[in-house]
Amino acid sequence: MDAILMQEKLVERLLCPRVRTARQKEKQYVGFATLPNQVHRKSVKKGFDFTLMVAGESGMGKSTLVNSLFLTDLYKDRKLLNAEERINQTVEIIKHTVDIEEKGVKLKLTIVDTPGFGDAVNNNQCWKPITDYIDQQFEQYFRDESGLNRKNIQDNRVHCCLYFIPPFGHGLRPVDVEFMKALHEKVNIIPLIAKADCLTPNEIKKLKDRIREEIDKFGIKVYQFPECDSDEDEEFKQLDKELKECTPFAVIGSNTVVEARGQRVRGRLYPWGIVEVENQSHCDFVKLRNMLIRSHMHDLKDVTCDVHYENYRAQCIQEMTSKLAQDNRMESPIPILPLSTPDVDTEKLIKMKDEELKRMQEMLTKMQQQMHDKDQ
Amino acid sequence: SSIHCIRGTDLFGYIGIEAVLDQMRCKTMKAGFEFNIMVVGQSGLGKSTLVNTLFKSKVSRKSCAPDYEEKISKTVKLHSVSHLIEEKGVKMKLTVIDTPGFGDQINNDNCWEPIVKYVNEQYEKYLREELHINRKRRIPDTRVHCCIYFIPATGHRLRPIDVEFMKRLGKIVSIVPVIAKADTLTIEERQEFKERIRQDLAANGIHVYPQREYDEDPEERILNNRIRENIPFAVVGTDKEHQVNGNKVLGRKTKWGIIEVENVAHCEFANLRDLLIRSHLQDLKDVTHNIHYETYRVRRLNESNLNFSELGLSAVPLENGTADKCESDSHL
């Protein structure tokens, strides 16, 4: 709102003659330092969008965590299937969209849920519907971006995938490794230790170390937090370091509000005590939320656009041009220009077309001249 | 897949979404901005001086060429000069494109063609980068974001060359017309001149910046309407300072007084600067990117489909100059 007021004030000044005020300080001030505000104002008007995918077996607390993160109840009318119903269920993709507004900033949040993942007896390739979905969004964006009308392109690309690892095991299971490897070059993966309230602090530490080791061992590329700028203050750098050392985050979610230490908090009530979701000594929920929303949302989107999407696009174009080279009757569905190093055949074809065009242009000029002479 | 839509009005606490704005601001500040401004007008209308005054540094072509001679060139040649300027942590790469020779000859037919060609070439460059397989994270932007057109302060009306130029360029770039060397007009003469210019622009279907059809919402329309009622701004430029009432001001000293450039009672330089830099700089870039560039792109893609739909490949660009010529070419 402030940016808009400022704009209005500027226009006022633009148009009303006023007594000249002393502008000693503004001697050398040009004024383009307001650029970030100008950009800011447009973003506030447009709003942001963010697509978050959650993946993991049933009962890992995915829905609860999403509700806790965004403080709404997205799954009010959900029906839980029993085991029989789930035998023949395949992995589905379900999208929930929420429009959230806070302090004038609008966020269109899309949660992509993957019920059925890892639930079957035979879970071979159970990630395929998920990778297909992600690829479909890339393809749709690619077509939109290459099309003629680009005014209102909807960005449905998945910006981040929270992967829930069960706390019961001793590290990554084969399905965890295969899933993450199938997706790590298509989406930003953030692995989480789910239902961390069944582990003691020591157990959590051991599990985290083990998982980090295995991620390295298997060459899984999870989302990396960008490096801190050298000119950031020490406090920020310290926080950043703590964040990085804390991964994978051990999280707990809750749909219920309980009374703890005289306050109403989101938590889980057990006979032996109360687990507070937002208590940093109980779990890493706050770290996850801060990272996801308050500090790294923009970077997650950037990495999706600049790295994952560009890889997909480059691959796509390679495939298309190699197909075209083989079968030159095929029409290209999207516009492509000659590549940086076109092969000899393509060069010849281009030259031929060029000469044809020149001949046509000359013919046309001749015709026009003839018509002009006739009229005289 | 199924989609449910829920209004998130029952929030139980504070999520912290607005922090995204800060993240974005941080990133854009680090990356810096590019701004490309073109100045068009006859010799001697104060183009270089105005640009220097706008950015309070010697950014024009004249200031940068070591052995500069005041000669009228025989053809219109475009010169572009880039500078990196910084203010309060915001870095900007400013490029000033000068067009010496425009309107200076005896026969000025088609003197706008090199300019049209240049503008389209920048769009073409950007388009090629965008279609490349391995494209850069940030495509270097050399497209002309704003074209300041200098109208001499005759006090009468627009001249034929003004109309011809703005008709053609107005379709492909955002034009900001200014009345140059306005210190020869009284306030009444200035108002009447502006009114006649606005009439001439309307009569010839010329849309200058901010274009009415690109107003995004009623709020913006109101703001921009007030600007539209006051353009073209009457400007005076200088880099000399004088003492006025104990303050140092930028001004032109004459025997009958000092014309203070930044005094809105004297001339509209400050209004122009505020419009171009302090309030609408980002908007100028957005209009160039979202509208002018997209128009160019659509035209190019349609052209390639027309001639090479078999291959799906596009050849080197056709020699398209002005918009008029384009219409006849597409019927080939």
Side-chain angles (χ1 to χ4, degrees):
Chain A
M1 274 298 131
D2 301 319
I4 299 178
L5 279 175
M6 192 191 78
Q7 296 283 70
E8 288 184 346
K9 281 202 198 124
L10 278 171
V11 176
E12 283 288 344
R13 269 216 340 246
L14 262 178
L15 304 168
C16 304
R18 219 197 263 165
V19 174
R20 187 179 61 83
T21 48
R23 298 221 218 125
Q24 298 284 38
K25 278 193 236 158
E26 292 188 357
K27 263 298 90 153
Q28 293 311 311
Y29 181 63
V30 175
F32 63 85
T34 60
L35 256 176
N37 286 340
Q38 295 179 37
V39 177
H40 183 156
R41 175 175 172 233
K42 293 207 170 219
S43 307
V44 170
K45 264 208 275 191
K46 246 185 16 177
F48 295 88
D49 58 51
F50 190 69
T51 303
L52 178 69
M53 177 182 268
V54 285
E57 290 164 5
S58 295
M60 285 288 108
K62 302 189 293 293
S63 317
T64 312
L65 186 74
V66 167
N67 284 344
S68 306
L69 275 173
F70 296 100
L71 299 179
T72 67
D73 196 355
L74 284 175
Y75 301 92
K76 262 194 283 249
D77 304 313
R78 190 172 64 152
K79 205 182 73 132
L80 291 172
L81 303 174
N82 62 35
E84 239 187 288
E85 287 169 317
R86 275 153 60 172
I87 283 184
N88 290 321
Q89 195 196 27
T90 49
V91 179
E92 270 182 273
I93 306 280
I94 297 189
K95 276 165 64 169
H96 298 266
T97 313
V98 196
D99 285 315
I100 304 180
E101 184 168 335
E102 225 179 40
K103 297 202 178 162
V105 182
K106 299 186 205 56
L107 176 70
K108 175 163 167 264
L109 174 72
T110 304
I111 307 283
V112 179
D113 214 343
T114 55
F117 174 83
D119 281 348
V121 175
N122 180 356
N123 286 312
N124 245 349
Q125 302 284 320
C126 64
W127 48 84
K128 191 139 190 323
I130 299 176
T131 50
D132 283 347
Y133 176 82
I134 295 179
D135 281 342
Q136 270 164 31
Q137 307 317 304
F138 280 157
E139 190 190 320
Q140 183 62 48
Y141 192 84
F142 187 29
R143 283 179 182 274
D144 287 346
E145 188 190 45
S146 309
L148 289 180
N149 188 347
R150 309 201 293 184
K151 280 213 179 117
N152 294 313
I153 299 185
Q154 270 235 9
D155 186 3
N156 291 322
R157 298 173 293 183
V158 181
H159 299 124
C160 176
C161 175
L162 297 178
Y163 184 65
F164 289 68
I165 300 170
F168 316 123
H170 293 285
L172 297 178
R173 306 161 302 160
V175 69
D176 299 328
V177 175
E178 289 307 304
F179 175 86
M180 288 200 276
K181 289 195 79 167
L183 262 77
H184 65 174
E185 284 179 344
K186 294 185 193 285
V187 73
N188 296 316
I189 298 185
I190 297 182
L192 302 173
I193 299 175
K195 296 204 160 177
D197 52 349
C198 72
L199 298 172
T200 65
N202 271 340
E203 289 166 349
I204 290 188
K205 183 170 182 312
K206 272 209 318 227
L207 186 57
K208 284 189 185 183
D209 287 341
R210 185 70 193 270
I211 292 178
R212 273 205 295 268
E213 250 175 60
E214 291 180 340
I215 286 178
D216 269 338
K217 187 170 99 176
F218 291 108
I220 301 171
K221 300 185 209 141
V222 296
Y223 172 69
Q224 299 293 334
F225 304 129
E227 288 303 321
C228 242
D229 283 328
S230 49
D231 57 351
E232 295 282 3
D233 55 53
E234 279 312 309
E235 191 192 319
F236 187 88
K237 282 195 198 164
Q238 183 60 25
L239 282 172
D240 190 66
K241 189 157 162 278
E242 280 174 23
L243 202 73
K244 288 183 180 153
E245 286 171 358
C246 203
T247 57
F249 296 131
V251 294
I252 302 168
S254 169
N255 277 331
T256 52
V257 178
V258 295
E259 181 103 20
R261 294 178 286 130
Q263 287 181 322
R264 290 176 63 76
V265 293
R266 279 207 167 217
R268 293 175 61 73
L269 176 61
Y270 292 111
W272 48 88
I274 300 176
V275 179
E276 297 161 48
V277 165
E278 298 194 12
N279 185 332
Q280 297 223 42
S281 60
H282 288 194
C283 72
D284 298 327
F285 173 82
V286 171
K287 288 206 174 69
L288 173 67
R289 181 194 57 199
N290 287 347
M291 184 227 73
L292 196 61
I293 302 172
R294 298 186 192 175
S295 54
H296 288 75
M297 184 179 272
H298 198 67
D299 187 62
L300 284 163
K301 293 178 70 171
D302 275 354
V303 174
T304 306
C305 296
D306 295 340
V307 179
H308 300 301
Y309 172 70
E310 289 295 315
N311 284 341
Y312 173 84
R313 179 182 173 271
Q315 248 179 6
C316 226
I317 296 183
Q318 292 277 33
E319 286 170 9
M320 270 199 268
T321 42
S322 57
K323 268 201 225 147
L324 279 175
Q326 290 166 9
D327 172 18
N328 59 10
R329 281 196 182 282
M330 190 179 124
E331 214 179 277
S332 166
I334 58 117
I336 42 181
L337 286 183
L339 309 174
S340 39
T341 51
D343 59 298
V344 183
D345 290 335
T346 322
E347 290 245 293
K348 269 206 236 145
L349 272 162
I350 293 175
K351 228 175 146 204
M352 258 172 51
K353 289 277 173 183
D354 261 355
E355 285 165 15
E356 204 183 302
L357 191 68
K358 246 190 228 139
R359 269 181 274 133
M360 280 166 71
Q361 278 176 321
E362 284 169 20
M363 261 174 39
L364 189 71
T365 347
K366 270 207 207 115
M367 276 168 52
Q368 285 178 337
Q369 187 62 33
Q370 283 174 4
M371 280 171 39
H372 180 81
D373 291 339
K374 249 212 221 154
D375 287 340
Q376 292 280 336
Chain B
S1 60
S2 54
I3 303 174
H4 304 264
C5 232
I6 309 171
R7 291 254 130 214
T9 45
D10 315 289
L11 297 182
F12 305 113
Y14 176 65
I15 306 176
I17 306 172
E18 66 183 283
V20 186
L21 289 176
D22 284 330
Q23 297 168 35
M24 204 189 61
R25 185 194 297 233
C26 246
K27 237 184 186 148
T28 44
M29 294 258 308
K30 261 199 267 181
F33 301 86
E34 289 166 305
F35 191 62
N36 307 321
I37 188 169
M38 178 185 270
V39 286
V40 182
Q42 291 163 301
S43 287
L45 284 182
K47 303 188 294 292
S48 303
T49 311
L50 185 72
V51 164
N52 285 350
T53 317
L54 269 175
F55 292 99
K56 302 224 173 159
S57 21
K58 301 215 178 293
V59 290
S60 76
R61 169 186 56 102
K62 290 191 184 179
S63 319
C64 299
D67 312 308
Y68 184 74
E69 274 175 42
E70 293 279 1
K71 261 199 308 204
I72 289 193
S73 62
K74 292 242 161 48
T75 53
V76 180
K77 281 204 169 75
L78 282 86
H79 292 266
S80 93
V81 176
S82 297
H83 294 266
L84 278 168
I85 47 183
E86 183 174 334
E87 190 171 79
K88 298 197 178 171
V90 178
K91 302 186 197 63
M92 179 151 87
K93 177 169 174 229
L94 173 72
T95 303
V96 180
I97 304 135
D98 205 345
T99 56
F102 176 85
D104 287 335
Q105 315 309 322
I106 297 176
N107 179 359
N108 286 310
D109 270 342
N110 301 322
C111 64
W112 45 81
E113 275 180 11
I115 300 175
V116 171
K117 182 155 170 267
Y118 178 87
V119 171
N120 284 334
E121 272 170 6
Q122 307 319 305
Y123 291 146
E124 181 70 24
K125 240 200 254 177
Y126 195 90
L127 180 65
R128 283 182 179 260
E129 265 303 326
E130 208 183 33
L131 288 178
H132 215 261
I133 266 200
N134 291 315
R135 40 191 201 182
K136 310 196 174 90
R137 249 188 204 210
R138 275 189 88 210
I139 301 178
D141 192 358
T142 55
R143 300 171 294 186
V144 180
H145 300 129
C146 170
C147 173
I148 307 186
Y149 185 71
F150 287 67
I151 301 170
T154 60
H156 294 178
R157 314 198 73 103
L158 285 182
R159 305 161 300 159
I161 192 179
D162 300 331
V163 171
E164 290 303 307
F165 177 84
M166 288 197 274
K167 247 209 296 214
R168 288 177 170 71
L169 269 286
K171 293 191 185 132
I172 58 176
V173 75
S174 291
I175 299 187
V176 176
V178 297
I179 300 172
K181 298 204 162 172
D183 46 353
T184 63
L185 296 171
T186 64
I187 303 287
E188 293 84 32
E189 288 167 350
R190 180 206 293 177
Q191 289 305 112
E192 286 169 9
F193 187 31
K194 287 213 262 185
E195 183 54 47
R196 283 193 282 266
I197 291 177
R198 286 195 289 270
Q199 283 170 11
D200 282 346
L201 289 175
N204 283 287
I206 299 172
H207 299 288
V208 296
Y209 183 84
Q211 298 93 329
R212 217 189 145 74
E213 56 263 28
Y214 307 147
D215 288 336
E216 282 177 6
D217 50 54
E219 197 183 281
E220 208 175 275
R221 168 139 303 182
I222 297 176
L223 267 139
N224 287 345
N225 272 344
R226 292 163 76 200
I227 297 172
R228 283 187 280 262
E229 285 160 16
N230 281 283
I231 49 163
F233 290 126
V235 296
V236 172
T238 184
D239 48 12
K240 299 201 171 53
E241 286 182 342
H242 303 275
Q243 288 279 7
V244 173
N245 295 336
N247 294 326
K248 278 184 138 214
V249 296
L250 275 177
R252 288 173 59 74
K253 188 165 182 187
T254 64
K255 293 270 195 267
W256 45 91
I258 296 183
I259 304 153
E260 297 163 43
V261 163
E262 284 176 312
N263 185 340
V264 292
H266 288 196
C267 79
E268 295 173 318
F269 169 81
N271 306 13
L272 176 71
R273 178 203 51 211
D274 286 351
L275 173 73
L276 282 187
I277 301 175
R278 296 186 189 179
S279 63
H280 285 68
L281 200 152
Q282 186 59 39
D283 189 60
L284 280 161
K285 295 179 67 171
D286 287 344
V287 168
T288 304
H289 180 66
N290 297 331
I291 298 170
H292 298 303
Y293 170 68
E294 288 297 310
T295 308
Y296 178 84
R297 180 177 174 273
V298 168
R299 178 164 69 91
R300 279 290 279 136
L301 295 183
N302 280 332
E303 280 169 10
S304 358
N305 285 339
L306 212 64
N307 294 319
F308 305 105
S309 54
E310 277 176 18
L311 258 188
L313 291 172
S314 157
V316 290
L318 307 173
E319 282 296 7
N320 263 320
T322 60
D324 309 331
K325 226 172 132 202
C326 164
E327 260 138 272
S328 59
D329 272 346
S330 63
H331 291 307
L332 260 176

